Amino acid sequence: MLVDQDLPALDGLTGSRARSHDLIAALEGAGRLRPVRRGTYVLVDAGGNVRVDVLNLIAALTSEPYLITAGRALQFHDLTDQHYRLVVVLVSRQARSWSWRGETIRYSRTDRNIKSAAARTRKTRAAIATPERALADSLAHPNWGVTLAQVAEALDAMLRRDRGSADRLAAVVAQGYGHALARRFGFLVSHLADAATARGFLPLRGRGKAATKLLSGGPDDGAIDSLWGVRENVDVSRLTQHRRQ
C-alpha cells in the first residue's frame, strides 16, 4: 500500500517527485496498483488479487482513536450471518467517508469514549467494538443499517454464548445512551432470555411516564409492557423468528 506519506521515500529511489508520480501512474496502468482513495493504493499480486481487506485498510487510513461498530462489528464477532456493506467507524474528529470494492466506510463523530470500547482480538489490527458496544450502537442508530430483528438475533446469539454479557451490555448502555435504549434492551433481553438476565437494565429505565416505542420511528399503536415502559409496536414473535429458521 502506498500513501502520500511514503512519497518522500519513493522520491529517493526515483530521483524526483515527478518521476515518482510517473511510476505510480505506470504501475496503476499496468494493473499492479489499485487506487483506494486519493493518495492511497494497494498492491495487486501477480495473480491479479488484492490481499488486504477493508478492516486493515481502515486501520491504515484512519487516525486513532477510532472504533468500527454496528453491523460490521456484529459480523466480525459472528453474531450475525448478514454481510453489512456499510462500515460505520466512530471517530473523535469528523473524517470524509470513502468506498472500497462495493463497501462504504462512513465516519461518525462521537463524544463517547472509544479508546476503551475495542475488543481484544488477534484476528485484525483494526479497532473493533466489543459485541456489547456494537449492539448498543446498532439499536441506538437504526440508520446505521441494522434492523430491530437483526439486533434481536445478534443479542440472542450473544446471550446464548454468555448470559453474563447482559450485565456488560447494561454497563455500556449506562454510559450515556439514555433511558429509552435501556428500556428497549431490558424488554428484549427479558423476552429472549428471562427477567433475571435483564435485571441490570431495571435501574436504567428512568422515571418518564411516556411509553418508549420498541421500534423507533414505528407505529404509535401496540400494547405497553408496564415493567419496561415499552410500546410493542411490532409483532414481538417476529423478533424470535430466527430460532425457527
Side-chain angles (χ1 to χ4, degrees):
M1 184 163 51
L2 182 69
V3 295
D4 285 339
Q5 294 91 319
D6 298 320
L7 280 174
L10 184 60
D11 295 343
L13 298 174
T14 63
S16 72
R17 180 59 53 91
R19 289 177 180 175
S20 295
H21 284 305
D22 288 343
L23 176 60
I24 292 171
L27 290 172
E28 184 181 353
R32 298 307 304 273
L33 285 180
R34 186 169 297 172
V36 179
R37 63 181 189 181
R38 184 178 179 181
T40 307
Y41 300 82
V42 293
L43 293 172
V44 179
D45 65 20
N49 301 309
V50 174
R51 300 191 180 277
V52 64
D53 65 14
V54 70
L55 298 183
N56 285 325
L57 278 176
I58 292 170
L61 299 177
T62 307
S63 299
E64 296 182 346
Y66 70 90
L67 188 69
I68 298 170
T69 190
R72 199 53 178 266
L74 297 178
Q75 182 182 339
F76 179 85
H77 292 297
D78 296 322
L79 294 176
T80 178
D81 58 6
Q82 300 289 324
H83 179 70
Y84 295 91
R85 293 196 172 276
L86 173 63
V87 186
V88 177
V89 185
L90 299 178
V91 288
S92 56
R93 292 184 297 177
Q94 189 59 52
R96 182 177 296 179
S97 299
W98 48 280
S99 298
W100 169 248
R101 305 180 80 175
E103 299 186 289
T104 299
I105 294 77
R106 181 193 297 174
Y107 293 104
S108 180
R109 197 189 73 79
T110 182
D111 293 326
R112 291 196 179 100
N113 188 301
I114 52 180
K115 290 183 178 180
S116 62
R120 295 181 179 179
T121 178
R122 295 181 178 178
K123 294 196 298 182
T124 179
R125 66 190 186 94
I128 309 289
T130 63
E132 296 81 10
R133 177 63 181 265
L135 276 167
D137 286 334
S138 296
L139 190 58
H141 300 277
N143 61 320
W144 286 356
V146 185
T147 67
L148 178 60
Q150 291 166 353
V151 167
E153 182 175 1
L155 177 60
D156 197 16
M158 186 179 74
L159 293 172
R160 288 169 180 254
R161 189 181 297 175
D162 177 12
R163 285 293 179 94
S165 62
D167 289 336
R168 294 195 298 273
L169 177 58
V172 169
V173 173
Q175 296 171 4
Y177 279 87
H179 304 312
L181 198 71
R183 292 180 179 190
R184 292 187 182 105
F185 271 124
F187 177 89
L188 289 172
V189 171
S190 64
H191 276 73
L192 294 171
D194 51 46
T197 306
R199 65 188 181 280
F201 296 94
L202 289 172
L204 306 177
R205 293 169 297 173
R207 298 181 179 181
K209 300 295 185 180
T212 297
K213 294 180 182 179
L214 180 58
L215 176 62
S216 179
D220 294 327
D221 55 353
I224 296 177
D225 183 290
S226 59
L227 177 62
W228 296 106
V230 166
R231 183 179 296 279
E232 301 175 33
N233 61 343
V234 295
D235 183 356
V236 177
S237 65
R238 294 174 57 186
L239 302 182
T240 56
Q241 189 174 4
H242 59 274
R243 294 178 176 177
R244 301 185 289 274
Q245 294 177 344

